[in-house]
């Protein structure tokens, strides 16, 4: 066993206190203190440096059959974590290694080494393993390039464009020779998109009266590809502008996740006939055999400045629920992270 | 010029009298008598034997940009027609030939011979060129095999299953080794589907209280392919049963065509994420380069009894609007035709 730094006797975790009805609030989260686990054979004790909060977690709080098991009430919630190995009973890791994995909302987690991936802390800030070169980046990569299949000259529209996934989608589309238009929820965000990320236009959906008209102005040649993270009224507006043979990649529907009744809206299938359009839902996990390809390319693009990124970092493990709830208010620019601990020197 | 039979001096046509609001009625149709046209150079005068009425025509009555030009008010409406050549100024046709083409709601039409296709009146009843081996059959062929891509063992659900398109879809799916479930609007129809066409189950949506429950019973392994001709509540029920990687071919939305307000319903995009499902609209015209392939195969299957068909034939040109309006009530089993004239001996 290797060991480094002082491991505290107890560790804080968030457990799911109850399932939310509609918008989750602080009553859904239970901050508990448990004995720091001892790693078993083949296990590694990981100190959390960064914890990822993501919109998909709203689905895990629901007691409904889905592509993944729901979280159990009274049990720890799960999250993407970048951490430092502090004790290792696994041959592949030693104390001081920086790793990424799907762990717990916890300051320390013991986990089988087989569930962890080492990351090179000198290649890029370690937090990017949860964002631009992590799951959100890969989601953008496969969702845009494999599902939506943009061609040079296409007009690509992205909702949630200033988020962790959307901001990468837009830059990949720009690199693919497309005209790129983004929807985002503040002027700070839309300026970032157009002035720094090379979007051709961006629409602040919170201050725009008529989304359809604004989109019409921004997409004079119509919409060939729509990458949807948001759903609802933004998506209704985009469906009105689809070109023949348009492709819609449905990645997220954050505007609908807190609905207490089955959300309704215009029936859109008729549009698909007229436009021979294709709408396809995607989960990044289906592309697992090709994660390495995506990670390598994304890391290269980040290293050479082709892809820029931002992170919104909330300090302190105890503030993780706040960071999560802020996603539904659009408080983050780029990837929303929680900084939980510091690397040992 | 070749000429046969006596051509009357006048011919009856239906013109679009006004654009309908909501459900079309007889006031939308103007029965007019015009001089029978003289064919110009390269033109052929065609006597209508069978006229096709189809749900898509509702879209042509609307003054809206679409994949095809809307019909003009005060002008003749268009239709698929099987007819007999009575005069020909085109080298490819002579009097007595049986042809199919996109002509007018008219007893006689003069048209450039290049727009007509000869059919062999001895191969199959000539009316089938408007149905099972015509546009509806080809729509089923390309929509199912190319867009929805069924695999042996898949469960395929078809709405409007007893219609001209749906009845072929179901039989092709059966041949492709799938479990086939159809929605139709009468017990006569559902019995035809299960007892003669080899559907594994059929649901009478007009007499079934809970469509989702009925579908759940009929699709114990969920739905891999949905071929949608109808939309609305049937489609809502099917989306609830989609399997991972399901494919939805959107061919028609007849339940929505007469809506006076933008039809609304459950927002379904979230389902597509969870199920990584693909929804794609189709127009048969996009497959024009492969029409011959489809027609030949369909004709072969009809000839050897693999594919069965029914036709609902309304007698008399003047009754064409009734036949059209009946489509929205589901009065037809199989292809709805209007018999307008007899072949000369």
């Amino acid at each position: 066993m290797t060991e480094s730094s002082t491991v505290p006797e107890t560790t804080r975790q968030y457990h799911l206190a109850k399932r939310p009805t509609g918008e989750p609030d602080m009553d859904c989260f239970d901050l508990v203190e448990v004995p720091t686990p001892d790693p078993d054979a083949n296990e590694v004790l990981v100190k959390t440096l960064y914890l990822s909060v993501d919109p998909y977690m709203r689905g895990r709080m629901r007691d409904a059959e889905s592509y993944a098991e729901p979280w159990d009430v009274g049990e720890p919630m799960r999250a993407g974590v970048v951490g430092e190995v502090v004790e290792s009973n696994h041959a592949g890791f030693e104390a001081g290694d920086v790793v990424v994995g799907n762990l717990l909302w916890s300051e320390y987690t013991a986990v089988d080494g087989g569930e962890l991936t080492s990351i090179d802390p000198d290649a890029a800030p370690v937090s990017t393993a949860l964002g631009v070169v992590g799951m959100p980046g890969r989601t953008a990569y496969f969702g845009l390039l494999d599902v939506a299949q943009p061609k040079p000259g296409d007009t690509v529209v992205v909702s949630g464009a200033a988020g962790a996934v959307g901001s990468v989608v837009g830059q990949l589309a720009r690199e693919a020779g497309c005209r790129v238009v983004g929807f985002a929820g503040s002027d700070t965000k839309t300026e970032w998109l157009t002035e720094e990320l090379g979007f051709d236009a961006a629409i602040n959906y919170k201050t725009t009266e008529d989304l359809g008209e604004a989109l019409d102005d921004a997409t004079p040649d119509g919409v060939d590809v729509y990458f949807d993270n948001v759903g609802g009224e933004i998506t209704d507006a985009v469906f009105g502008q689809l070109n023949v043979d348009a492709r819609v990649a449905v990645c997220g529907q954050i505007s609908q996740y807190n609905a207490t009744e089955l959300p309704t809206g215009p029936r859109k299938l008729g549009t698909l006939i007229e436009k021979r359009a294709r709408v396809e839902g995607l989960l990044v996990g289906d592309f697992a055999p090709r994660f390495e390809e995506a990670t390598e390319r994304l890391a290269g693009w980040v290293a050479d400045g082709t892809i820029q990124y931002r992170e919104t970092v909330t300090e302190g493990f105890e503030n993780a629920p706040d960071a999560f709830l802020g996603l539904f208010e659009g408080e983050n620019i780029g990837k929303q992270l929680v900084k939980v601990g510091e690397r040992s020197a």
Side-chain angles (χ1 to χ4, degrees), chain A:
Chain A
M1 181 187 288
T2 65
E3 187 163 338
S4 82
S5 69
T6 320
V7 178
E9 290 198 359
T10 61
T11 187
R12 290 186 297 172
Q13 299 186 332
Y14 271 109
H15 293 190
L16 182 63
K18 62 163 196 175
R19 302 198 183 283
T21 306
E23 209 160 327
D25 58 24
M26 290 303 296
D27 292 346
C28 298
F29 302 89
D30 203 2
L31 184 61
V32 299
E33 197 154 347
V34 300
T36 303
D38 279 325
D40 282 338
N42 280 319
E43 282 195 339
V44 170
L45 183 65
V46 178
K47 175 188 175 187
T48 299
L49 304 176
Y50 289 95
L51 182 145
S52 178
V53 290
D54 299 273
Y56 77 79
M57 293 172 167
R58 180 63 182 82
R60 296 291 188 286
M61 302 174 89
R62 212 181 296 273
D63 185 20
E65 199 190 328
S66 180
Y67 57 91
E69 286 290 299
W71 293 335
D72 289 321
V73 172
E75 295 292 323
M77 305 186 300
R78 305 193 68 84
V81 161
V82 162
E84 179 176 302
V85 172
V86 289
E87 294 179 28
S88 177
N89 294 328
H90 189 282
F93 300 94
E94 59 184 37
D97 284 356
V98 182
V99 294
V100 61
N102 190 26
L103 306 183
L104 304 180
W105 288 43
S106 183
E107 292 174 301
Y108 289 83
T109 308
V111 60
D112 190 289
E115 295 186 28
L116 296 172
T117 305
S118 285
I119 56 181
D120 175 1
D122 299 323
V126 298
S127 59
T128 58
L130 296 172
V132 62
V133 296
M135 185 273 286
R138 291 191 295 263
T139 302
Y141 181 89
F142 294 112
L144 182 73
L145 301 179
D146 281 76
V147 178
Q149 302 179 3
K151 296 182 292 291
D154 277 355
T155 295
V156 174
V157 174
V158 190
S159 59
V165 175
S167 57
V168 178
V169 168
Q171 294 179 86
L172 290 175
R174 181 203 67 206
E175 290 302 301
C178 302
R179 176 178 174 81
V180 185
V181 177
F183 283 95
S186 75
D187 290 343
T188 308
K189 291 178 179 178
T190 56
E191 279 164 25
W192 180 48
L193 298 178
T194 54
E195 291 175 19
E196 298 186 41
L197 300 193
F199 280 59
D200 296 282
I203 297 165
N204 180 342
Y205 70 89
K206 288 190 179 169
T207 57
T208 299
E209 193 87 7
D210 186 329
L211 295 176
E213 194 179 276
L215 186 65
D216 197 18
D217 289 346
T219 60
D221 297 324
V223 176
D224 301 296
V225 165
Y226 175 43
F227 192 105
D228 188 15
N229 294 301
V230 175
E233 291 177 12
I234 293 174
T235 295
D236 296 340
V238 180
F239 267 68
Q241 303 286 342
L242 294 180
N243 285 336
V244 168
D245 291 329
R247 288 132 278 149
V248 178
V250 186
C251 177
Q253 296 281 285
I254 194 172
S255 70
Q256 312 296 307
Y257 291 165
N258 291 332
T260 47
E261 295 181 2
L262 198 61
T264 62
R267 289 185 181 276
K268 306 193 184 88
L269 298 188
T271 303
L272 301 187
I273 302 175
E274 187 186 329
K275 303 303 186 184
R276 290 85 107 190
R278 171 165 65 78
V279 183
E280 191 164 343
L282 74 104
L283 284 179
V284 68
D286 292 339
F287 296 92
R290 290 173 53 206
F291 276 2
E292 212 173 299
E293 162 199 333
T295 306
E296 269 178 29
R297 291 198 192 178
L298 289 163
W301 286 322
V302 170
D304 72 12
T306 302
I307 291 186
Q308 296 178 51
Y309 67 96
R310 282 201 193 174
E311 296 171 338
T312 301
V313 180
T314 298
E315 296 279 341
F317 177 73
E318 63 280 8
N319 296 318
D322 273 330
F324 172 68
L325 298 176
L327 294 171
F328 299 94
E329 310 302 323
E331 288 174 4
N332 56 306
I333 297 195
K335 176 61 192 157
Q336 174 68 56
L337 296 166
V338 182
K339 185 164 181 190
V340 175
E342 296 284 352
R343 286 178 66 195
S344 53

